[in-house]
Every structure is written in C-alpha cells, then in structure tokens.
Amino acid sequence: MGMERAAGRAAIFFLFLSLTVAQNITGSGEDTLNVGVILHLKSLVGKMARTSILMAVEDFYKAHRNFKTKLVLHIRDSNGDDIQAASEAIDLLENYNVRAIVGPQKSSEATFVSDLGNKSQVPVISFTATNPTLSSINVPYFLRGTLSDVAQVNTLAALAKAYGWREVVPIYEDTDYGRGIIPYLADALQEFGASMPYRSAISESANTDQIERELYKLMTMQTRVYVVHMSTNIGSILFKKAKDLGMMSEDYAWILTDGISNIANSLSPSILEEMSGAIGVRFYVPASKELDDFTTRWNKRFKEDNPNDPPSQLSIFGLWGYDTIWALAQAAEKVRMADAIFQKQKDTKNTTCLGTLRISTIGPKLLDSILLSKFRGLSGEFDLRNRQLELSTFQIINVVGSQLKEIGFWTAKHGIFRQLNKNKSKTTNMNSMPDLNPVVWPGEVYTVPKGWQIPTNGKKLRIGVRTNAYPEFMKVESNPVTNEITASGYAIDVFEEVLKRLPYAIPYEYVSFDNGQGINSGSYNDFVYQVYLGVYDAAIGDITIRYNRTSYVDFTLPYTESGVAMIVPVRDDRNKNTWVFLKPLTTDLWFGSIAFFVYTAIVIWLLERRSNNAELTGSFLRQLGIAIYFSFFADRERVDSILSRLVVIVWVFVLLVITSSYTANLSSMLTVQQLQPTVTDVHELLKNGEYVGYPNGSYVADLLRGLGFDRTKLRAYNDLDGFADALAKGSQNGGISAVIDEVPYIKIFLAKHCKGYTMIGPIYKSEGFGFAFPKRSPLVYDFSRAILSITEGDSIINIEKKWIGDQHACQNDGTIISSSSLNFNSFSGLFLVTGVASTSALLIALVMFLYKNKHRIRNSIRRDQTQKGYEAERINEQNQEMTIHSNQVHNLQLTVPDDSDEYSCQQDGEISIEQSPASEIQTSPYFASHAQQ
C-alpha cells in the first residue's frame, strides 16, 4: 500500500508540473505547441531523459527569448508496458491536442505509438527506440533521434574479425528490441568471415533459474564468444549467473552492445564487477565546454529530481533527449500556429478510439521542419534528414573491475584504431591484429581468448578412421576383447603430431568406419559424409580435398603433395643400327656445320689468294679442295696470311667442342641403357582402348569416366600387388597398361616396385590429403596452422621416411633423363663466333687491299673522269650543230587561185621545205619573185 501511495503522489506531482509549465507559458500570450512525452519514469534511462528534457526546454527559451512559439510538455509514464504507452498516447492526442510526441522509450512501445502518430499526422520522435524495423517507409511520421541498432553491427563484426573469432553467439532479450538486430548482425558477421552457430533468446520475464539453464546449454557448446544485447535489468542477472557458473573466466569473451555500454557509467559497481573483462561498444560523444557545463548542472538537477536514487552519470540517451527538444523547438518556431487545428477523419465508420482520432493540420509542415533541422548539439552533429541520426564514431571500452577503460574507436571509413588524433590509414580488414589498447579479459588475463573450447561435459572427440589399400597411410585394428580401435600409419602420425603442437589438449577416440568388415564398407564420400551427419567430430586419413565435399565439411590445409599421375612400365629404347653414328647430331646441326665448314674454306681461299700461297696453284677446283683441306684439318702451318691463321684458330676451337660433344653423346647412346615409358599421355591410352587400373573406392574412377574411358576398360584393385601383377601382364594379356592414382600412393608403389616402372604426370590437379571437420568448426584454423608448421620443417620428412621410405632410392621415379641428339641451338654461340671471325678477317683483308692500291685506284678514277670529259665535250658540239640546223627550217604558205568557173572559193596550200644538214636549200626564181611580192 505504501508503494501504491508513493506512486500516486509521484503521478500527481508530474501532472501538477505539466500544468504549471503550461500555465506559465500560455499566460504570456504567446503561441504554444503541446508536446507529449512518454517515458518509463521508473527506469534509469527514463529518469535521465526526463531531467534532460526539462532542462532542454528551459535552456532553449533562455537562449531564444524572442521566439514566439513555446513548447508545452505533457509527461506521461508508460511503466514499461506497451498498452499503457499506447493508452497514454491516445489520451494526449484526444484530450491535450499534442502536435508532437517525444518517445516512447522502448521499441515495442514505439511500434504502437508510431501507428497512432501516422493516423493523426503527429510526428513521433524517439531517442531510445533502436529497433531497425521502425525505420520502415510505412511509418513516415516516426523519427529516430538516435542511431539504429544496425549502426553498431559492423563494429561488433570487426571486433570478432580483429581477434580471430570465427563463431559468435548472440544472447539477447526476446523482445522487438532484442530480435531486431539479429538478422543484421548475422549478415555483418558473415561479411567479416564469422558465423552465428546458435542464437540464445532470453525472455524479458525470465527468472534466474531460466537464465541459468540457458547458460548451461551454452557451456555444452564449443563457442565461447558472446554478444550481449539486452537491457540492464536482464543483463545484470545474466552476468551474475555467468560469474557464478565460471563463465567469466579466461576461456570466454563477452561483447556488450550499446544498450548496456551507453549507460555503463551509471551502473552500480557491483554490477560492473560481474561484467569485468567484457568489452563493449558505445556512441562516442566529442568533448566540449558546453557539454562539461551542462553535465555539472545536470548532475545537480538529477539529484534534486531523484533524491532517493544513487548518483548517476549523464549518458548519451540524456544528451539525445536534450537535442531532440531543441530540434523540435526550432521546428515549431517555423510553423504558423494560427493554422493549428485538428480535423476529423473522413472515414467515421470506425467507432473505436483509433477511428475517432483527429488529424493535425500542421503535422506535415511540422514534420518537414523537423527533417530540415541540423545543428551541433551536446551529443554532436544532430541531423534528422534521413529520419534518424547519421552513423558516426563508436567508442570501444573494456570493463576492468568497477571501472571503464577506453581501448579504441571504430568508424565506417577507417575501421578499428587506437586514437582519434593519429593517422588512421589502416583498416580492420587489413590488420591481422587490432590496433587497440591492451584488454583485460575475463579472469584478469591479457591473453586473447581463442573463442572456442571443447565442451566441459567429459565427451571425447569421435575421430573417424578407415582402412584402405595402402596400410602405410592408414591401418585400423580392433581389439576383440575391449573393442578398442587403434590406428597407425602416415596420416595417424601427422594427426598426432598436430595434436602435440596445439596450445590445448583435446580428448579423442578413434571410431572405425569399417565396423570390422574390411575396406569395402563404403566410399570415401560416404566416409566424409559421416562428419556432416554428426557421427564423427572429424574424419582423418588419406581424404582428398575435393570441391563437392566442401559443401558439407570444412577441410584443413593439405599435408601431402597434390595431383593424380600414372604408373607405367618402362622399356630399353636403345636402337644401335647402321646409321646410329648420325643420331648424336640433329639434321639442322649437321647442315649448319657443313655450311660453316664450306664458308670457312672459301674465306681461307680468298685470304690465301691475296698472299700468293704456293699451295693454291692449278685449277679452281684444286685450289678450293686445298682450302677445304685447310679448314678440315686445321693445318695452320700451311697458311701464310695472319688473318687466315686467325680464322683457322677459331675454327679449330669450334671443331674441338663439336667433336667432343659428338663423341660423348655417341658413347652414351651406344653404352647407357635408354629407359623410356611405354605410355606418355593418358589420351594415348584412351585412343588405343587400353585397360587402366585404379584403387578400389577412389574418386579416380569418376575422373577417368569424365575423361571418356569406358567402364569396361577400367579395373579396380585393392592392393599394390594387384597393380604390379596387372602391369606385368599388360593390357593384351588380361592386365592393364597403366595405373591412375594419386601421387602419394604412387610414391608408395614405386618404393616397393622400383624396377621396371615410373611415374608420368601429374595428369590432373588435386589439392592433396586433408582432415575433414564439420562446417565452421573452430578446430580447422588451429589444425591448419599446425599442419603448416609440420610441412615446413623436418617432421614431415621423417614421417615420410618412416612409412614410405627414401624417395630418391628408385632411379625410375620421376622424370626419365635420356640421351638426346644435339641441335643447332646448342652451338649457336660457337657458330656466331666463327662466323664473325671469318667475316671480319675477310673485311679486314678487303680494307687492306684498298689501302695498298689507293694511288692506282685514284689514277684510274682520274683517267675515267678525263675520258668522260672528252665525251661530254663532243656530245655538246653535236648538240650545238643540231640546234643550228633546226633553226634553218622554214615554213612556207602558198595560195593557189582556182580560175575554174565551177568554184567560187580559193584553196590554200602549205608547203614546208626542210633542207637536210648535208645540202643547201634551192629556191627557184618563181618562188623567189612571189616571195618578194
């Protein structure tokens, strides 16, 4: 009864305060704008917001005394109930004609109240409702004076990536506020390479026993990273039980969303002690003198308003409430209150309370004015143009004891960084370690939790193993008395070496896939699929990493070589026939040698001709034969010219190299055994219709069928001896011509059957052998790191020697190196040298000849020039005579009269008489007399 009377007195006090504020303002004769405020006044956030809102109205009109429109606040208590909040909103709309509503506080309350605001065209501004679904286009009159929960999901995902956590479990309250962030958080984690294997929803009304049961369930799972998204009331109970259960230890990591982090400064020290080691994200508020002054005044005012409550520090919600009132007051001044009336809805058929709500005529204008408000408030830049605040900077904090320590910041542009005033060129996506201050994790340790752990229920990991055709890789045995499974082999040694290198112990037991039925109990695909079905926690052995298998399991890095190759017999390919002496050199080298041989002989012949060598006498053919003899036998004592001797010396060196190489190659062809594979290409097998063998149960059969091999041409074998016997028979005698298998198996075969076989390929690329784990298993990363350390050192070499043997002991293994003919390119440099030497000697001899005979050549040139001068003068004289004769040509035109009576016209005749140069022109007296006339 006492609590009810106290609550009644508080309600009367708030009603009296609202009426007093309204009377004081309306009494001045100025326009007023009624504003409804709906908060949960018994909550910490509600108390903070009420104090900030009242101070905002006072401060605004102290700073803007000339404003004509005043806000009148009508504060209501929702008591944390959705229906109560909606009822208060209807009362404010019907009885107080409020033109705007500030609040409500919870996202679920805002869902109802925003619908009321839409129907009555009254803007609803909430600075605490962060549910992303409230930003729908269906509620245009709802504005968010805060950030949506979507804004922080990238910060949370970036932290998971920065610390190397592959799985994160959200723990959230089962309300609109808690559920709203989950889909966006899942997408952000996936984008950053993490996943959400489980979602832990806790009812808002859950008691301690229900929370404890949920925590026990989480302890049975591997994931140890939790994102807590709930109110402080449930959160305080959650962390208390988590500490009691030992979940606030060094194996766990806890991340707080801004719902708790934003008011962490106001939480009691006992609650913070239970959260010690957690990290959180919250909105960053830049420091300013105005904020410091307001904080001082706010602390004093909050103590006056709540004298029975412990001291609290101002949070971002109080600042957003303050800035929201300033934005609304600025917008109200721009709207004409003379037009402010409420109209009835056109559709009056609905007789419910919602149907009788009236419509505010200034609602659209007031909404537009609010959307245009942009200023720098106490919380930073306050801009509602996008119907909510813009994404800004998040601060990352660490709860250490009862204190909060800043460890860094996050922005969408730069990712995670330590300090705001430093160069932020690096991003979280690029950094392997976060650029943050050291974190004190749960258990008061500085070591980053690995994020997962084998469940603490005494269960061992079930490791699937199977026997195959190669016991060197895996051999499984069962104790008939105890049924205990033991395994040995190459793969087992690698697996156990990995376990030794892990920084933690893993209890395990081997489980046989064969069930004592031998090796034909199923394919490798079936074996790997047991991991997906949950029969095994992991599958190890000679499991090839294939694309189709990655759809249901995750593989570690490979621990063996990759590829598929062929095993084929080899044969002695020596061919010692009559013309074997020609094979050491290729055709182009033979012809090239002959060409340079002849060219060198011609050069020597030309050079010796100049020196009048006594040997070069007789016919041309005899002289050329002697020159060839010089070049062939390199007898420099029988050449006289120094240039010839230089050419011979260079040619001797070339002949020496070619002769030595020819001799060595010919000796190799005649003496060394030439082992050649019987088949060098898999398509040759397909073309000739040869039989091919493969290991039983291997995916190689599918590969061969994909290449076009007929099923009848494929033969499966269970052991190495079967391969050897089939290869010895050959394809024509009921055997096979080649074995197609993976490279690690081929090494084992060649180690046992070295003589007479070799490996060709790889003919197909594969990823090698790896261990299979369930999808998104945290063990994959640690196992892969350990495998990488093994394969980079001597451990893998020792394991191979133990189970496979020395890989270099078999001479047939690998590429066969045989003697081949020498080609022209092998000696192109030598031929270039001798060619340059011979040509240079020839050019030098030509220059020397020209220099010695320069006077004779000059005189000969002068005689030629004089003779050409005489011929030119004679030609000029003849040309002049021709010119004179041509000038003596005359053209005569005669007119002959026609006395005949039959004609009435004259005929003209032109006679040209040209006198030849040997005679004179004769002119008759008749023509002369007429010419004078």
Side-chain angles (χ1 to χ4, degrees):
M1 292 292 293
M3 294 182 62
E4 292 179 355
R5 284 195 296 269
R9 287 196 298 270
I12 294 173
F13 171 75
F14 292 137
L15 178 62
F16 174 77
L17 179 64
S18 301
L19 293 175
T20 302
V21 173
Q23 290 175 358
N24 290 339
I25 295 178
T26 54
S28 62
E30 297 175 337
D31 292 336
T32 60
L33 188 142
N34 293 321
V35 178
V37 180
I38 302 177
L39 299 170
H40 183 9
L41 296 176
K42 297 182 181 62
S43 67
L44 177 61
V45 173
K47 294 176 182 179
M48 290 181 178
R50 186 181 67 84
T51 299
S52 298
I53 288 174
L54 294 176
M55 294 180 65
V57 174
E58 298 170 1
D59 293 349
F60 184 84
Y61 290 112
K62 282 182 181 179
H64 304 84
R65 297 181 182 276
N66 59 337
F67 274 32
K68 298 180 180 180
T69 302
K70 306 292 184 181
L71 299 184
V72 179
L73 303 182
H74 302 273
I75 301 177
R76 297 291 184 269
D77 185 7
S78 68
N79 202 26
D81 183 75
D82 299 345
I83 298 177
Q84 180 68 24
S87 177
E88 296 293 347
I90 294 174
D91 178 63
L92 291 170
L93 291 170
E94 288 185 341
N95 301 324
Y96 293 90
N97 294 331
V98 295
R99 311 295 178 173
I101 295 177
V102 176
Q105 185 172 323
K106 296 171 58 179
S107 295
S108 57
E109 298 171 357
T111 302
F112 290 98
V113 176
S114 61
D115 289 338
L116 297 176
N118 275 347
K119 290 183 178 297
S120 59
Q121 295 185 0
V122 172
V124 178
I125 313 174
S126 176
F127 52 87
T128 54
T130 57
N131 184 7
T133 60
L134 291 173
S135 299
S136 172
I137 194 173
N138 297 324
V139 282
Y141 279 85
F142 175 78
L143 304 178
R144 197 195 312 270
T146 180
L147 295 175
S148 167
D149 282 333
V150 178
Q152 64 179 319
V153 295
N154 285 332
T155 310
L156 301 172
L159 285 172
K161 178 179 176 63
Y163 288 113
W165 298 325
R166 302 295 301 277
E167 291 185 347
V168 175
V169 171
I171 305 177
Y172 59 96
E173 65 177 56
D174 196 9
T175 61
D176 290 346
Y177 160 72
R179 292 186 298 266
I181 193 177
I182 300 303
Y184 301 95
L185 179 59
D187 293 341
L189 289 173
Q190 184 176 5
E191 182 179 352
F192 280 78
S195 62
M196 190 183 295
Y198 178 73
R199 304 178 183 186
S200 177
I202 297 179
S203 174
E204 189 178 17
S205 59
N207 55 34
T208 56
D209 292 338
Q210 292 172 327
I211 294 176
E212 183 176 348
R213 284 196 296 270
E214 184 64 25
L215 291 176
Y216 271 122
K217 184 187 296 185
L218 294 176
M219 293 175 66
T220 63
M221 303 177 185
Q222 288 187 351
T223 307
R224 291 292 184 263
V225 181
Y226 307 114
V227 173
V228 180
H229 182 63
M230 53 182 56
S231 63
T232 55
N233 294 333
I234 307 178
S236 59
I237 301 175
L238 174 75
F239 280 100
K240 184 178 185 306
K241 297 306 299 182
K243 188 174 184 178
D244 294 341
L245 296 177
M247 297 180 70
M248 299 302 295
S249 61
E250 59 185 8
D251 296 326
Y252 294 83
W254 298 81
I255 305 176
L256 308 175
T257 63
D258 60 1
I260 295 178
S261 299
N262 281 336
I263 60 173
N265 289 332
S266 300
L267 297 178
S268 65
S270 60
I271 295 178
L272 289 178
E273 287 282 355
E274 293 166 351
M275 297 181 181
S276 181
I279 59 176
V281 297
R282 65 182 182 183
F283 187 84
Y284 171 70
V285 180
S288 64
K289 184 178 183 303
E290 293 79 4
L291 178 60
D292 293 339
D293 295 341
F294 176 76
T295 301
T296 302
R297 294 190 296 112
W298 185 91
N299 290 333
K300 181 179 179 181
R301 180 69 174 268
F302 184 82
K303 188 174 182 180
E304 294 174 355
D305 294 344
N306 306 278
N308 297 326
D309 292 348
S312 297
Q313 296 187 28
L314 178 63
S315 72
I316 185 62
F317 294 115
L319 299 180
W320 279 333
Y322 186 93
D323 291 341
T324 297
I325 294 299
W326 274 61
L328 185 58
Q330 292 177 3
E333 184 67 19
K334 301 176 183 178
V335 179
R336 293 183 56 186
M337 294 304 299
D339 300 332
I341 62 174
F342 275 92
Q343 295 179 345
K344 291 185 178 182
Q345 297 185 25
K346 294 181 180 181
D347 185 9
T348 58
K349 294 181 181 180
N350 192 343
T351 58
T352 62
C353 293
L354 297 181
T356 59
L357 287 178
R358 292 172 296 174
I359 298 176
S360 173
T361 56
I362 65 169
K365 295 181 180 178
L366 181 60
L367 176 64
D368 293 340
S369 182
I370 295 174
L371 292 176
L372 294 176
S373 298
K374 181 180 179 181
F375 60 94
R376 183 168 184 82
L378 295 179
S379 62
E381 293 296 330
F382 198 86
D383 185 2
L384 295 177
R385 285 178 296 179
N386 292 326
R387 300 181 180 273
Q388 64 183 12
L389 293 185
E390 292 295 325
L391 177 63
S392 183
T393 303
F394 278 98
Q395 185 183 33
I396 305 173
I397 60 173
N398 179 208
V399 182
V400 182
S402 59
Q403 303 295 324
L404 300 179
K405 184 179 71 171
E406 176 189 288
I407 61 174
F409 301 90
W410 180 92
T411 63
K413 181 178 181 181
H414 300 288
I416 292 177
F417 51 92
R418 185 175 302 183
Q419 296 181 5
L420 284 174
N421 57 353
K422 283 192 173 183
N423 184 14
K424 301 179 285 293
S425 59
K426 296 182 179 180
T427 64
T428 302
N429 293 339
M430 298 173 60
N431 291 345
S432 58
M433 290 298 294
D435 182 22
L436 294 171
N437 291 317
V439 177
V440 179
W441 299 100
E444 298 183 357
V445 297
Y446 288 92
T447 304
V448 179
K450 63 177 180 291
W452 66 273
Q453 189 181 23
I454 302 300
T456 57
N457 54 5
K459 177 184 176 183
K460 295 181 179 180
L461 287 183
R462 294 171 56 86
I463 307 300
V465 293
R466 61 168 290 167
T467 300
N468 65 2
Y470 301 92
E472 291 82 2
F473 263 100
M474 177 80 74
K475 183 179 181 180
V476 180
E477 296 177 339
S478 175
N479 189 319
V481 178
T482 63
N483 290 327
E484 181 183 0
I485 301 298
T486 58
S488 60
Y490 184 102
I492 295 298
D493 282 6
V494 173
F495 173 74
E496 294 179 351
E497 182 66 24
V498 167
L499 295 180
K500 295 177 182 178
R501 300 187 181 221
L502 294 179
Y504 44 85
I506 296 180
Y508 67 94
E509 61 180 352
Y510 293 125
V511 181
S512 176
F513 179 67
D514 307 322
N515 295 323
Q517 300 176 5
I519 62 174
N520 296 320
S521 58
S523 66
Y524 274 82
N525 287 335
D526 297 333
F527 177 50
V528 175
Y529 199 70
Q530 302 304 307
V531 178
Y532 174 76
L533 296 177
V535 178
Y536 306 142
D537 296 313
I540 66 173
D542 48 340
I543 305 172
T544 304
I545 302 173
R546 301 199 65 200
Y547 171 76
N548 64 318
R549 295 171 181 171
T550 59
S551 61
Y552 47 86
V553 295
D554 283 342
F555 284 99
T556 63
L557 290 176
Y559 62 89
T560 63
E561 295 183 48
S562 62
V564 176
M566 293 193 303
I567 304 174
V568 297
V570 294
R571 64 172 181 264
D572 186 4
D573 197 36
R574 289 180 296 181
N575 186 11
K576 304 176 180 62
N577 54 29
T578 305
W579 303 99
V580 70
F581 69 90
L582 295 176
K583 287 189 174 181
L585 306 182
T586 58
T587 304
D588 59 344
L589 182 54
W590 278 113
F591 283 105
S593 301
I594 294 172
F596 274 89
F597 180 75
V598 174
Y599 177 69
T600 304
I602 294 174
V603 171
I604 294 175
W605 177 73
L606 292 174
L607 294 176
E608 290 301 304
R609 285 279 298 176
R610 292 299 309 160
S611 61
N612 297 321
N613 192 311
E615 298 288 343
L616 298 178
T617 59
S619 64
F620 171 75
L621 293 178
R622 181 181 181 278
Q623 295 180 28
L624 184 59
I626 294 174
I628 293 175
Y629 171 82
F630 290 161
S631 61
F632 186 79
F633 292 99
D635 191 357
R636 60 188 180 89
E637 298 296 335
R638 301 180 63 179
V639 294
D640 298 334
S641 173
I642 186 63
L643 294 176
S644 299
R645 294 189 177 189
L646 177 63
V647 172
V648 169
I649 290 173
V650 175
W651 179 246
V652 167
F653 175 74
V654 173
L655 280 181
L656 179 62
V657 174
I658 295 177
T659 304
S660 301
S661 302
Y662 172 85
T663 304
N665 205 20
L666 180 60
S667 300
S668 175
M669 289 182 175
L670 294 176
T671 58
V672 178
Q673 185 182 24
Q674 302 296 314
L675 296 178
Q676 295 293 339
T678 56
V679 180
T680 58
D681 189 359
V682 67
H683 295 92
E684 184 180 346
L685 295 170
L686 182 62
K687 180 180 179 181
N688 297 333
E690 303 287 349
Y691 287 93
V692 176
Y694 67 92
N696 190 18
S698 173
Y699 77 96
V700 174
D702 297 331
L703 171 62
L704 293 175
R705 285 191 289 268
L707 292 175
F709 280 90
D710 189 83
R711 291 178 179 268
T712 60
K713 298 294 182 180
L714 302 179
R715 293 176 176 174
Y717 296 90
N718 292 326
D719 51 37
L720 298 179
D721 293 335
F723 284 146
D725 295 340
L727 287 171
K729 293 178 181 179
S731 183
Q732 303 300 326
N733 299 317
I736 56 178
S737 297
V739 174
I740 309 295
D741 207 347
E742 296 180 78
V743 172
Y745 298 143
I746 292 177
K747 288 186 174 181
I748 296 178
F749 179 88
L750 294 177
K752 289 189 174 182
H753 304 276
C754 177
K755 301 299 181 181
Y757 301 101
T758 189
M759 181 178 71
I760 302 297
I763 62 173
Y764 180 80
K765 179 67 176 177
S766 68
E767 292 301 323
F769 297 160
F771 302 146
F773 288 88
K775 295 291 286 185
R776 296 179 297 276
S777 172
L779 287 171
V780 174
Y781 177 76
D782 292 340
F783 265 65
S784 295
R785 286 177 56 88
I787 288 173
L788 193 61
S789 67
I790 293 173
T791 55
E792 288 181 349
D794 296 333
S795 298
I796 195 68
I797 298 176
N798 296 331
I799 294 174
E800 287 182 357
K801 288 182 178 180
K802 175 182 177 181
W803 293 103
I804 299 178
D806 190 359
Q807 300 180 19
H808 304 288
C810 183
Q811 297 179 355
N812 298 338
D813 187 17
T815 304
I816 298 177
I817 302 176
S818 60
S819 300
S820 60
S821 300
L822 303 174
N823 56 31
F824 183 83
N825 291 331
S826 302
F827 302 96
S828 57
L830 290 175
F831 288 121
L832 178 63
V833 171
T834 185
V836 170
S838 300
T839 305
S840 300
L842 193 61
L843 293 176
I844 292 173
L846 179 61
V847 172
M848 293 174 62
F849 170 78
L850 295 176
Y851 181 77
K852 290 180 179 180
N853 297 278
K854 61 181 179 179
H855 297 291
R856 186 182 304 172
I857 295 173
R858 187 180 299 116
N859 294 334
S860 177
I861 293 174
R862 288 177 180 175
R863 287 195 300 269
D864 292 342
Q865 291 177 350
T866 303
Q867 185 177 358
K868 290 180 180 179
Y870 293 153
E871 292 178 355
E873 292 178 359
R874 185 172 57 85
I875 291 173
N876 289 335
E877 291 177 357
Q878 292 178 356
N879 290 337
Q880 291 176 359
E881 292 177 359
M882 293 294 292
T883 303
I884 294 173
H885 294 322
S886 61
N887 289 334
Q888 294 177 359
V889 178
H890 299 282
N891 296 327
L892 299 179
Q893 183 175 6
L894 299 179
T895 303
V896 182
D898 190 356
D899 296 336
S900 176
D901 295 337
E902 298 177 357
Y903 297 94
S904 61
C905 62
Q906 297 180 350
Q907 294 180 346
D908 294 335
E910 184 178 24
I911 302 173
S912 297
I913 302 173
E914 182 177 354
Q915 183 179 4
S916 64
S919 63
E920 297 181 356
I921 300 177
Q922 302 293 332
T923 305
S924 67
Y926 176 80
F927 283 93
S929 62
H930 279 76
Q932 292 176 358
Q933 292 178 2

